[in-house]
Amino acid sequence: MESHVRFLAVECRPRDWSSPAGLAKAGAYIEGAFQQSGGRAWKQTFEARGRTYTNYGVTFGPESGPRLVVGAHYDACGDLPAADDNASGVAGILELARRLGSNPPACRVDLVAYTLEEPPFFRTQDMGSAHHARSLATEKAEVRAMISLEMIGRFEDGPDTQHIPFPLSFLYPDRGNFIAIVGRFSDISLTRRIKSAMQAATLLPVRSLSGPRWIPGVDFSDHHPYWDRGYHAVMITDTAFNRNRDYHTEGDTPEKLDYRRMAQVVQGAEWAIRELAR
């Protein structure tokens, strides 16, 4: 995963919406990894502001029937390294592809690398994840759950390294040494199943939050377009700007990520996927 993060953050920079060469280089890298995984690789193209953009995907398990969607965005916010946001999530997707390819899941699993999550497309219908969610709704796909991997690489063990908005701050620790699963009240069953599976797979502390969308950060990723289409969806995250002081700055670099704990996040996510696929 470290090699994935370094390639995306260094070799593909810049990879924001206005940098087609960087996005294309990142996309080719992702597509190549998906093709080598043993799954059925595919891509989805669409137009935005007069340019063509691409989501890259790979499918494992049965071709038909219910499916799980697990995604992460590969674009960056401006000309920044964006190692945690979100090369870390893409590295997790690529490692999941390798693992699912060697041991296919019981139901269909689609792994998707999205483009255009970041501004100026954030919260618009031109987000890559919005295009994908809309295509699933159009084909009336049966989606058991969607999981967004959004920043999974920063961990801090010191006091006062974790900040959660009031009044939820009373319910969570002040040390940023855990991974969080975030969903709505209506997704609480899904959130609990994923939390339980991840806790069974690793020793990494796992916290969960189920709450309304108005809490800052609850819908700040690629899961929210799936909510808008009526699907159950959650986000797995290191809590982004609530922990990472280098969020959307030049300081979000590969050497600041904790790859050992990132690996535990992916182990836990794989365990959760297999549990949900049963």
Side-chain angles (χ1 to χ4, degrees), residues 71 73 86 117 122 146-152 179-184 187 190-191 194 198 206-209 215-224 227 232-242 265:
H73 71 90
N86 190 33
E117 190 269 355
F122 182 62
M146 184 274 175
I147 301 171
S148 171
L149 301 187
E150 177 65 56
M151 303 180 64
I152 61 170
I179 195 70
I181 306 162
V182 180
R184 303 167 296 177
D187 297 312
L190 173 63
T191 301
I194 294 174
M198 293 185 72
V206 183
R207 299 279 178 163
S208 62
L209 186 156
I215 296 175
V218 165
D219 66 352
F220 283 13
S221 187
D222 291 298
H223 55 301
H224 84 78
W227 286 350
H232 293 290
V234 300
M235 170 176 59
I236 296 177
T237 180
D238 61 19
T239 75
F241 51 82
N242 290 302
V265 173

mmCIF file of all heavy atoms in Angstrom, residues 71 73 86 117 122 146-152 179-184 187 190-191 194 198 206-209 215-224 227 232-242 265:
data_model
loop_
_atom_site.group_PDB
_atom_site.id
_atom_site.type_symbol
_atom_site.label_atom_id
_atom_site.label_comp_id
_atom_site.label_asym_id
_atom_site.label_seq_id
_atom_site.Cartn_x
_atom_site.Cartn_y
_atom_site.Cartn_z
ATOM 1 N N GLY A 71 -15.862 1.800 -2.530
ATOM 2 C CA GLY A 71 -15.227 2.789 -3.380
ATOM 3 C C GLY A 71 -14.331 3.763 -2.652
ATOM 4 O O GLY A 71 -14.395 3.912 -1.425
ATOM 5 N N HIS A 73 -12.116 7.711 -3.804
ATOM 6 C CA HIS A 73 -11.817 8.658 -4.886
ATOM 7 C C HIS A 73 -10.314 8.821 -5.062
ATOM 8 O O HIS A 73 -9.558 8.869 -4.091
ATOM 9 C CB HIS A 73 -12.498 10.009 -4.642
ATOM 10 C CG HIS A 73 -11.929 10.834 -3.536
ATOM 11 N ND1 HIS A 73 -10.909 11.744 -3.734
ATOM 12 C CD2 HIS A 73 -12.240 10.911 -2.219
ATOM 13 C CE1 HIS A 73 -10.629 12.343 -2.590
ATOM 14 N NE2 HIS A 73 -11.419 11.858 -1.647
ATOM 15 N N ASN A 86 -6.857 11.273 -1.220
ATOM 16 C CA ASN A 86 -7.314 10.003 -0.708
ATOM 17 C C ASN A 86 -6.527 8.868 -1.356
ATOM 18 O O ASN A 86 -7.069 7.830 -1.685
ATOM 19 C CB ASN A 86 -8.813 9.827 -0.972
ATOM 20 C CG ASN A 86 -9.420 8.642 -0.278
ATOM 21 O OD1 ASN A 86 -9.009 8.265 0.810
ATOM 22 N ND2 ASN A 86 -10.386 8.023 -0.909
ATOM 23 N N GLU A 117 -14.346 13.781 -6.766
ATOM 24 C CA GLU A 117 -14.964 13.917 -5.445
ATOM 25 C C GLU A 117 -14.699 15.290 -4.846
ATOM 26 O O GLU A 117 -15.507 15.817 -4.088
ATOM 27 C CB GLU A 117 -14.436 12.827 -4.501
ATOM 28 C CG GLU A 117 -15.189 12.723 -3.180
ATOM 29 C CD GLU A 117 -14.590 13.587 -2.056
ATOM 30 O OE1 GLU A 117 -13.515 14.204 -2.278
ATOM 31 O OE2 GLU A 117 -15.187 13.632 -0.963
ATOM 32 N N PHE A 122 -17.532 18.685 -5.574
ATOM 33 C CA PHE A 122 -18.037 18.129 -4.325
ATOM 34 C C PHE A 122 -19.489 18.550 -4.096
ATOM 35 O O PHE A 122 -19.835 19.714 -4.246
ATOM 36 C CB PHE A 122 -17.160 18.595 -3.161
ATOM 37 C CG PHE A 122 -17.556 18.036 -1.826
ATOM 38 C CD1 PHE A 122 -17.525 16.680 -1.588
ATOM 39 C CD2 PHE A 122 -17.966 18.878 -0.799
ATOM 40 C CE1 PHE A 122 -17.881 16.164 -0.359
ATOM 41 C CE2 PHE A 122 -18.319 18.376 0.430
ATOM 42 C CZ PHE A 122 -18.282 17.010 0.651
ATOM 43 N N MET A 146 -23.067 0.009 0.422
ATOM 44 C CA MET A 146 -21.933 0.704 -0.171
ATOM 45 C C MET A 146 -21.022 1.150 0.963
ATOM 46 O O MET A 146 -21.482 1.640 1.997
ATOM 47 C CB MET A 146 -22.399 1.914 -0.977
ATOM 48 C CG MET A 146 -21.270 2.647 -1.719
ATOM 49 S SD MET A 146 -20.406 3.882 -0.718
ATOM 50 C CE MET A 146 -19.101 4.396 -1.843
ATOM 51 N N ILE A 147 -19.706 0.972 0.774
ATOM 52 C CA ILE A 147 -18.710 1.383 1.756
ATOM 53 C C ILE A 147 -17.719 2.315 1.073
ATOM 54 O O ILE A 147 -17.137 1.975 0.043
ATOM 55 C CB ILE A 147 -17.958 0.174 2.344
ATOM 56 C CG1 ILE A 147 -18.926 -0.790 3.029
ATOM 57 C CG2 ILE A 147 -16.874 0.631 3.318
ATOM 58 C CD1 ILE A 147 -18.286 -2.106 3.452
ATOM 59 N N SER A 148 -17.540 3.492 1.631
ATOM 60 C CA SER A 148 -16.566 4.454 1.116
ATOM 61 C C SER A 148 -15.323 4.438 2.001
ATOM 62 O O SER A 148 -15.423 4.585 3.222
ATOM 63 C CB SER A 148 -17.170 5.865 1.108
ATOM 64 O OG SER A 148 -16.187 6.835 0.800
ATOM 65 N N LEU A 149 -14.159 4.244 1.389
ATOM 66 C CA LEU A 149 -12.883 4.365 2.104
ATOM 67 C C LEU A 149 -12.379 5.784 1.897
ATOM 68 O O LEU A 149 -11.955 6.157 0.800
ATOM 69 C CB LEU A 149 -11.858 3.358 1.587
ATOM 70 C CG LEU A 149 -12.224 1.873 1.683
ATOM 71 C CD1 LEU A 149 -11.028 1.011 1.280
ATOM 72 C CD2 LEU A 149 -12.698 1.502 3.077
ATOM 73 N N GLU A 150 -12.459 6.598 2.930
ATOM 74 C CA GLU A 150 -12.136 8.025 2.835
ATOM 75 C C GLU A 150 -11.106 8.395 3.886
ATOM 76 O O GLU A 150 -11.426 8.594 5.061
ATOM 77 C CB GLU A 150 -13.397 8.865 3.028
ATOM 78 C CG GLU A 150 -13.158 10.361 3.019
ATOM 79 C CD GLU A 150 -12.657 10.889 1.691
ATOM 80 O OE1 GLU A 150 -13.324 10.678 0.672
ATOM 81 O OE2 GLU A 150 -11.576 11.522 1.690
ATOM 82 N N MET A 151 -9.835 8.431 3.476
ATOM 83 C CA MET A 151 -8.742 8.788 4.382
ATOM 84 C C MET A 151 -8.617 7.735 5.491
ATOM 85 O O MET A 151 -9.322 7.776 6.485
ATOM 86 C CB MET A 151 -8.935 10.192 4.965
ATOM 87 C CG MET A 151 -9.066 11.267 3.898
ATOM 88 S SD MET A 151 -9.308 12.953 4.523
ATOM 89 C CE MET A 151 -7.758 13.245 5.396
ATOM 90 N N ILE A 152 -7.717 6.788 5.307
ATOM 91 C CA ILE A 152 -7.569 5.681 6.258
ATOM 92 C C ILE A 152 -6.137 5.538 6.757
ATOM 93 O O ILE A 152 -5.772 4.500 7.310
ATOM 94 C CB ILE A 152 -8.036 4.350 5.638
ATOM 95 C CG1 ILE A 152 -7.193 3.977 4.399
ATOM 96 C CG2 ILE A 152 -9.520 4.411 5.267
ATOM 97 C CD1 ILE A 152 -7.428 2.562 3.879
ATOM 98 N N ILE A 179 -9.962 3.745 13.998
ATOM 99 C CA ILE A 179 -10.633 3.943 12.721
ATOM 100 C C ILE A 179 -12.126 4.066 13.010
ATOM 101 O O ILE A 179 -12.631 3.451 13.953
ATOM 102 C CB ILE A 179 -10.352 2.776 11.740
ATOM 103 C CG1 ILE A 179 -10.730 3.157 10.306
ATOM 104 C CG2 ILE A 179 -11.036 1.492 12.174
ATOM 105 C CD1 ILE A 179 -9.821 4.180 9.682
ATOM 106 N N ALA A 180 -12.813 4.880 12.224
ATOM 107 C CA ALA A 180 -14.228 5.147 12.481
ATOM 108 C C ALA A 180 -15.097 4.664 11.323
ATOM 109 O O ALA A 180 -14.690 4.717 10.156
ATOM 110 C CB ALA A 180 -14.464 6.639 12.704
ATOM 111 N N ILE A 181 -16.291 4.209 11.665
ATOM 112 C CA ILE A 181 -17.313 3.851 10.681
ATOM 113 C C ILE A 181 -18.466 4.818 10.881
ATOM 114 O O ILE A 181 -19.022 4.900 11.979
ATOM 115 C CB ILE A 181 -17.781 2.404 10.856
ATOM 116 C CG1 ILE A 181 -16.583 1.453 10.825
ATOM 117 C CG2 ILE A 181 -18.786 2.031 9.763
ATOM 118 C CD1 ILE A 181 -16.878 0.105 11.394
ATOM 119 N N VAL A 182 -18.817 5.547 9.843
ATOM 120 C CA VAL A 182 -19.786 6.635 9.952
ATOM 121 C C VAL A 182 -20.977 6.369 9.043
ATOM 122 O O VAL A 182 -20.809 6.070 7.851
ATOM 123 C CB VAL A 182 -19.140 7.984 9.579
ATOM 124 C CG1 VAL A 182 -20.148 9.118 9.695
ATOM 125 C CG2 VAL A 182 -17.913 8.253 10.459
ATOM 126 N N GLY A 183 -22.170 6.478 9.605
ATOM 127 C CA GLY A 183 -23.390 6.286 8.824
ATOM 128 C C GLY A 183 -24.544 7.080 9.408
ATOM 129 O O GLY A 183 -24.399 7.774 10.418
ATOM 130 N N ARG A 184 -25.710 6.963 8.790
ATOM 131 C CA ARG A 184 -26.925 7.617 9.281
ATOM 132 C C ARG A 184 -27.604 6.731 10.316
ATOM 133 O O ARG A 184 -27.266 5.557 10.495
ATOM 134 C CB ARG A 184 -27.904 7.856 8.126
ATOM 135 C CG ARG A 184 -27.371 8.671 6.985
ATOM 136 C CD ARG A 184 -28.294 8.561 5.785
ATOM 137 N NE ARG A 184 -28.343 7.183 5.291
ATOM 138 C CZ ARG A 184 -29.116 6.765 4.285
ATOM 139 N NH1 ARG A 184 -29.905 7.618 3.676
ATOM 140 N NH2 ARG A 184 -29.083 5.501 3.908
ATOM 141 N N ASP A 187 -28.822 3.609 8.874
ATOM 142 C CA ASP A 187 -27.798 2.626 8.523
ATOM 143 C C ASP A 187 -27.167 1.989 9.758
ATOM 144 O O ASP A 187 -26.125 1.342 9.656
ATOM 145 C CB ASP A 187 -26.688 3.295 7.704
ATOM 146 C CG ASP A 187 -27.177 3.847 6.388
ATOM 147 O OD1 ASP A 187 -27.889 3.114 5.676
ATOM 148 O OD2 ASP A 187 -26.865 5.005 6.073
ATOM 149 N N LEU A 190 -26.190 -1.711 9.556
ATOM 150 C CA LEU A 190 -25.015 -1.916 8.706
ATOM 151 C C LEU A 190 -23.754 -1.473 9.419
ATOM 152 O O LEU A 190 -22.732 -2.178 9.402
ATOM 153 C CB LEU A 190 -25.196 -1.143 7.404
ATOM 154 C CG LEU A 190 -23.996 -1.109 6.457
ATOM 155 C CD1 LEU A 190 -23.647 -2.494 5.977
ATOM 156 C CD2 LEU A 190 -24.281 -0.173 5.265
ATOM 157 N N THR A 191 -23.800 -0.309 10.041
ATOM 158 C CA THR A 191 -22.636 0.207 10.758
ATOM 159 C C THR A 191 -22.184 -0.764 11.835
ATOM 160 O O THR A 191 -20.985 -1.038 11.993
ATOM 161 C CB THR A 191 -22.972 1.576 11.382
ATOM 162 O OG1 THR A 191 -23.362 2.482 10.354
ATOM 163 C CG2 THR A 191 -21.774 2.152 12.118
ATOM 164 N N ILE A 194 -20.496 -3.954 10.321
ATOM 165 C CA ILE A 194 -19.140 -3.694 9.851
ATOM 166 C C ILE A 194 -18.197 -3.503 11.031
ATOM 167 O O ILE A 194 -17.080 -4.031 11.040
ATOM 168 C CB ILE A 194 -19.130 -2.466 8.927
ATOM 169 C CG1 ILE A 194 -19.916 -2.770 7.649
ATOM 170 C CG2 ILE A 194 -17.698 -2.049 8.592
ATOM 171 C CD1 ILE A 194 -20.099 -1.583 6.740
ATOM 172 N N MET A 198 -14.915 -5.848 11.745
ATOM 173 C CA MET A 198 -13.579 -5.275 11.781
ATOM 174 C C MET A 198 -12.910 -5.523 13.130
ATOM 175 O O MET A 198 -11.708 -5.790 13.203
ATOM 176 C CB MET A 198 -13.634 -3.782 11.473
ATOM 177 C CG MET A 198 -14.051 -3.473 10.051
ATOM 178 S SD MET A 198 -13.993 -1.703 9.621
ATOM 179 C CE MET A 198 -12.214 -1.433 9.545
ATOM 180 N N VAL A 206 -11.861 0.236 16.858
ATOM 181 C CA VAL A 206 -12.866 0.636 15.877
ATOM 182 C C VAL A 206 -13.988 1.364 16.606
ATOM 183 O O VAL A 206 -14.553 0.843 17.567
ATOM 184 C CB VAL A 206 -13.439 -0.578 15.120
ATOM 185 C CG1 VAL A 206 -14.437 -0.117 14.049
ATOM 186 C CG2 VAL A 206 -12.328 -1.405 14.491
ATOM 187 N N ARG A 207 -14.295 2.566 16.150
ATOM 188 C CA ARG A 207 -15.405 3.344 16.707
ATOM 189 C C ARG A 207 -16.451 3.538 15.626
ATOM 190 O O ARG A 207 -16.156 3.460 14.433
ATOM 191 C CB ARG A 207 -14.904 4.718 17.189
ATOM 192 C CG ARG A 207 -13.863 4.640 18.285
ATOM 193 C CD ARG A 207 -14.503 4.434 19.632
ATOM 194 N NE ARG A 207 -13.517 4.307 20.701
ATOM 195 C CZ ARG A 207 -13.783 4.444 21.980
ATOM 196 N NH1 ARG A 207 -15.030 4.724 22.358
ATOM 197 N NH2 ARG A 207 -12.845 4.308 22.890
ATOM 198 N N SER A 208 -17.678 3.811 16.037
ATOM 199 C CA SER A 208 -18.734 4.046 15.062
ATOM 200 C C SER A 208 -19.548 5.267 15.455
ATOM 201 O O SER A 208 -19.605 5.648 16.625
ATOM 202 C CB SER A 208 -19.643 2.821 14.942
ATOM 203 O OG SER A 208 -20.283 2.543 16.168
ATOM 204 N N LEU A 209 -20.160 5.876 14.449
ATOM 205 C CA LEU A 209 -21.040 7.021 14.651
ATOM 206 C C LEU A 209 -22.212 6.889 13.699
ATOM 207 O O LEU A 209 -22.028 6.744 12.491
ATOM 208 C CB LEU A 209 -20.296 8.328 14.386
ATOM 209 C CG LEU A 209 -21.032 9.647 14.691
ATOM 210 C CD1 LEU A 209 -20.017 10.754 14.945
ATOM 211 C CD2 LEU A 209 -21.946 10.065 13.542
ATOM 212 N N ILE A 215 -24.403 16.831 10.938
ATOM 213 C CA ILE A 215 -23.159 16.836 11.707
ATOM 214 C C ILE A 215 -21.992 16.989 10.725
ATOM 215 O O ILE A 215 -21.879 16.214 9.775
ATOM 216 C CB ILE A 215 -22.993 15.536 12.507
ATOM 217 C CG1 ILE A 215 -24.108 15.406 13.550
ATOM 218 C CG2 ILE A 215 -21.629 15.484 13.196
ATOM 219 C CD1 ILE A 215 -24.083 14.090 14.295
ATOM 220 N N PRO A 216 -21.120 17.988 10.905
ATOM 221 C CA PRO A 216 -20.029 18.211 9.948
ATOM 222 C C PRO A 216 -19.174 16.973 9.732
ATOM 223 O O PRO A 216 -18.658 16.384 10.686
ATOM 224 C CB PRO A 216 -19.212 19.336 10.597
ATOM 225 C CG PRO A 216 -20.186 20.057 11.466
ATOM 226 C CD PRO A 216 -21.113 18.987 11.993
ATOM 227 N N GLY A 217 -19.050 16.553 8.497
ATOM 228 C CA GLY A 217 -18.214 15.418 8.143
ATOM 229 C C GLY A 217 -18.962 14.129 7.907
ATOM 230 O O GLY A 217 -18.425 13.211 7.268
ATOM 231 N N VAL A 218 -20.184 14.015 8.388
ATOM 232 C CA VAL A 218 -20.928 12.749 8.283
ATOM 233 C C VAL A 218 -21.165 12.364 6.828
ATOM 234 O O VAL A 218 -21.121 11.182 6.479
ATOM 235 C CB VAL A 218 -22.252 12.829 9.069
ATOM 236 C CG1 VAL A 218 -23.202 11.701 8.677
ATOM 237 C CG2 VAL A 218 -21.963 12.753 10.569
ATOM 238 N N ASP A 219 -21.401 13.333 5.962
ATOM 239 C CA ASP A 219 -21.660 12.999 4.555
ATOM 240 C C ASP A 219 -20.594 13.570 3.623
ATOM 241 O O ASP A 219 -20.837 13.776 2.435
ATOM 242 C CB ASP A 219 -23.052 13.472 4.128
ATOM 243 C CG ASP A 219 -23.198 14.992 4.136
ATOM 244 O OD1 ASP A 219 -22.266 15.675 4.608
ATOM 245 O OD2 ASP A 219 -24.243 15.483 3.672
ATOM 246 N N PHE A 220 -19.380 13.758 4.150
ATOM 247 C CA PHE A 220 -18.317 14.393 3.361
ATOM 248 C C PHE A 220 -17.509 13.381 2.539
ATOM 249 O O PHE A 220 -16.274 13.377 2.595
ATOM 250 C CB PHE A 220 -17.354 15.154 4.272
ATOM 251 C CG PHE A 220 -17.868 16.481 4.763
ATOM 252 C CD1 PHE A 220 -19.205 16.834 4.634
ATOM 253 C CD2 PHE A 220 -17.012 17.387 5.372
ATOM 254 C CE1 PHE A 220 -19.679 18.053 5.101
ATOM 255 C CE2 PHE A 220 -17.481 18.603 5.840
ATOM 256 C CZ PHE A 220 -18.813 18.937 5.704
ATOM 257 N N SER A 221 -18.156 12.527 1.794
ATOM 258 C CA SER A 221 -17.403 11.608 0.947
ATOM 259 C C SER A 221 -18.315 10.991 -0.094
ATOM 260 O O SER A 221 -19.447 11.438 -0.301
ATOM 261 C CB SER A 221 -16.728 10.519 1.793
ATOM 262 O OG SER A 221 -15.859 9.730 0.983
ATOM 263 N N ASP A 222 -17.842 9.929 -0.729
ATOM 264 C CA ASP A 222 -18.547 9.333 -1.855
ATOM 265 C C ASP A 222 -19.736 8.471 -1.462
ATOM 266 O O ASP A 222 -20.419 7.953 -2.351
ATOM 267 C CB ASP A 222 -17.565 8.486 -2.672
ATOM 268 C CG ASP A 222 -16.545 9.334 -3.404
ATOM 269 O OD1 ASP A 222 -16.963 10.140 -4.249
ATOM 270 O OD2 ASP A 222 -15.340 9.209 -3.125
ATOM 271 N N HIS A 223 -20.007 8.304 -0.192
ATOM 272 C CA HIS A 223 -21.178 7.515 0.208
ATOM 273 C C HIS A 223 -22.474 8.296 0.066
ATOM 274 O O HIS A 223 -23.535 7.718 -0.136
ATOM 275 C CB HIS A 223 -21.018 7.002 1.640
ATOM 276 C CG HIS A 223 -20.752 8.067 2.656
ATOM 277 N ND1 HIS A 223 -19.670 8.913 2.586
ATOM 278 C CD2 HIS A 223 -21.422 8.442 3.780
ATOM 279 C CE1 HIS A 223 -19.686 9.740 3.615
ATOM 280 N NE2 HIS A 223 -20.748 9.479 4.350
ATOM 281 N N HIS A 224 -22.407 9.638 0.166
ATOM 282 C CA HIS A 224 -23.659 10.385 0.213
ATOM 283 C C HIS A 224 -24.468 10.338 -1.088
ATOM 284 O O HIS A 224 -25.705 10.350 -1.031
ATOM 285 C CB HIS A 224 -23.440 11.821 0.702
ATOM 286 C CG HIS A 224 -23.021 12.809 -0.335
ATOM 287 N ND1 HIS A 224 -23.900 13.365 -1.223
ATOM 288 C CD2 HIS A 224 -21.822 13.350 -0.605
ATOM 289 C CE1 HIS A 224 -23.258 14.224 -2.005
ATOM 290 N NE2 HIS A 224 -21.995 14.225 -1.661
ATOM 291 N N TRP A 227 -26.726 7.444 -0.630
ATOM 292 C CA TRP A 227 -27.858 7.796 0.232
ATOM 293 C C TRP A 227 -28.948 8.471 -0.587
ATOM 294 O O TRP A 227 -30.137 8.163 -0.437
ATOM 295 C CB TRP A 227 -27.401 8.754 1.337
ATOM 296 C CG TRP A 227 -26.591 8.131 2.429
ATOM 297 C CD1 TRP A 227 -26.387 6.800 2.648
ATOM 298 C CD2 TRP A 227 -25.880 8.824 3.458
ATOM 299 N NE1 TRP A 227 -25.583 6.623 3.741
ATOM 300 C CE2 TRP A 227 -25.266 7.841 4.261
ATOM 301 C CE3 TRP A 227 -25.710 10.164 3.767
ATOM 302 C CZ2 TRP A 227 -24.500 8.173 5.378
ATOM 303 C CZ3 TRP A 227 -24.938 10.498 4.873
ATOM 304 C CH2 TRP A 227 -24.338 9.508 5.671
ATOM 305 N N HIS A 232 -28.224 1.859 1.290
ATOM 306 C CA HIS A 232 -27.526 1.883 2.574
ATOM 307 C C HIS A 232 -26.030 2.082 2.308
ATOM 308 O O HIS A 232 -25.447 1.384 1.477
ATOM 309 C CB HIS A 232 -27.743 0.578 3.339
ATOM 310 C CG HIS A 232 -29.154 0.376 3.786
ATOM 311 N ND1 HIS A 232 -29.721 1.147 4.784
ATOM 312 C CD2 HIS A 232 -30.109 -0.491 3.367
ATOM 313 C CE1 HIS A 232 -30.969 0.751 4.978
ATOM 314 N NE2 HIS A 232 -31.237 -0.227 4.127
ATOM 315 N N ALA A 233 -25.412 3.020 2.994
ATOM 316 C CA ALA A 233 -24.006 3.323 2.738
ATOM 317 C C ALA A 233 -23.353 3.869 4.001
ATOM 318 O O ALA A 233 -23.995 4.555 4.803
ATOM 319 C CB ALA A 233 -23.868 4.328 1.604
ATOM 320 N N VAL A 234 -22.061 3.568 4.168
ATOM 321 C CA VAL A 234 -21.281 4.078 5.295
ATOM 322 C C VAL A 234 -19.896 4.483 4.808
ATOM 323 O O VAL A 234 -19.491 4.147 3.694
ATOM 324 C CB VAL A 234 -21.141 3.033 6.425
ATOM 325 C CG1 VAL A 234 -22.505 2.612 6.977
ATOM 326 C CG2 VAL A 234 -20.357 1.820 5.941
ATOM 327 N N MET A 235 -19.192 5.186 5.662
ATOM 328 C CA MET A 235 -17.827 5.621 5.382
ATOM 329 C C MET A 235 -16.885 5.045 6.436
ATOM 330 O O MET A 235 -17.179 5.107 7.635
ATOM 331 C CB MET A 235 -17.762 7.151 5.392
ATOM 332 C CG MET A 235 -16.367 7.743 5.353
ATOM 333 S SD MET A 235 -16.360 9.570 5.237
ATOM 334 C CE MET A 235 -17.261 10.041 6.725
ATOM 335 N N ILE A 236 -15.767 4.496 5.986
ATOM 336 C CA ILE A 236 -14.683 4.085 6.877
ATOM 337 C C ILE A 236 -13.603 5.157 6.758
ATOM 338 O O ILE A 236 -13.122 5.449 5.660
ATOM 339 C CB ILE A 236 -14.130 2.700 6.504
ATOM 340 C CG1 ILE A 236 -15.210 1.629 6.691
ATOM 341 C CG2 ILE A 236 -12.897 2.367 7.344
ATOM 342 C CD1 ILE A 236 -14.769 0.231 6.277
ATOM 343 N N THR A 237 -13.204 5.757 7.898
ATOM 344 C CA THR A 237 -12.352 6.944 7.836
ATOM 345 C C THR A 237 -11.503 7.110 9.084
ATOM 346 O O THR A 237 -11.871 6.632 10.169
ATOM 347 C CB THR A 237 -13.228 8.203 7.639
ATOM 348 O OG1 THR A 237 -12.409 9.362 7.582
ATOM 349 C CG2 THR A 237 -14.222 8.363 8.776
ATOM 350 N N ASP A 238 -10.391 7.824 8.920
ATOM 351 C CA ASP A 238 -9.596 8.218 10.090
ATOM 352 C C ASP A 238 -10.100 9.549 10.676
ATOM 353 O O ASP A 238 -9.452 10.129 11.530
ATOM 354 C CB ASP A 238 -8.100 8.293 9.747
ATOM 355 C CG ASP A 238 -7.763 9.324 8.651
ATOM 356 O OD1 ASP A 238 -8.590 10.225 8.391
ATOM 357 O OD2 ASP A 238 -6.684 9.216 8.049
ATOM 358 N N THR A 239 -11.253 9.996 10.184
ATOM 359 C CA THR A 239 -11.988 11.202 10.606
ATOM 360 C C THR A 239 -11.478 12.476 9.940
ATOM 361 O O THR A 239 -11.891 13.573 10.302
ATOM 362 C CB THR A 239 -12.063 11.400 12.126
ATOM 363 O OG1 THR A 239 -10.805 11.855 12.636
ATOM 364 C CG2 THR A 239 -12.485 10.125 12.852
ATOM 365 N N ALA A 240 -10.578 12.360 8.968
ATOM 366 C CA ALA A 240 -10.175 13.482 8.117
ATOM 367 C C ALA A 240 -9.694 14.680 8.935
ATOM 368 O O ALA A 240 -8.823 14.550 9.800
ATOM 369 C CB ALA A 240 -11.332 13.865 7.183
ATOM 370 N N PHE A 241 -10.285 15.860 8.697
ATOM 371 C CA PHE A 241 -9.824 17.095 9.334
ATOM 372 C C PHE A 241 -10.040 17.114 10.837
ATOM 373 O O PHE A 241 -9.496 17.980 11.529
ATOM 374 C CB PHE A 241 -10.511 18.316 8.703
ATOM 375 C CG PHE A 241 -12.005 18.197 8.632
ATOM 376 C CD1 PHE A 241 -12.806 18.486 9.715
ATOM 377 C CD2 PHE A 241 -12.605 17.779 7.451
ATOM 378 C CE1 PHE A 241 -14.186 18.368 9.644
ATOM 379 C CE2 PHE A 241 -13.985 17.667 7.366
ATOM 380 C CZ PHE A 241 -14.782 17.958 8.458
ATOM 381 N N ASN A 242 -10.815 16.170 11.366
ATOM 382 C CA ASN A 242 -10.952 16.064 12.815
ATOM 383 C C ASN A 242 -9.704 15.478 13.475
ATOM 384 O O ASN A 242 -9.596 15.485 14.700
ATOM 385 C CB ASN A 242 -12.175 15.219 13.168
ATOM 386 C CG ASN A 242 -13.471 15.925 12.842
ATOM 387 O OD1 ASN A 242 -13.728 17.008 13.330
ATOM 388 N ND2 ASN A 242 -14.273 15.317 11.984
ATOM 389 N N VAL A 265 -6.723 -1.769 8.767
ATOM 390 C CA VAL A 265 -8.009 -1.267 8.271
ATOM 391 C C VAL A 265 -8.481 -2.121 7.096
ATOM 392 O O VAL A 265 -9.648 -2.519 7.021
ATOM 393 C CB VAL A 265 -7.897 0.206 7.844
ATOM 394 C CG1 VAL A 265 -9.199 0.668 7.171
ATOM 395 C CG2 VAL A 265 -7.580 1.095 9.035
#
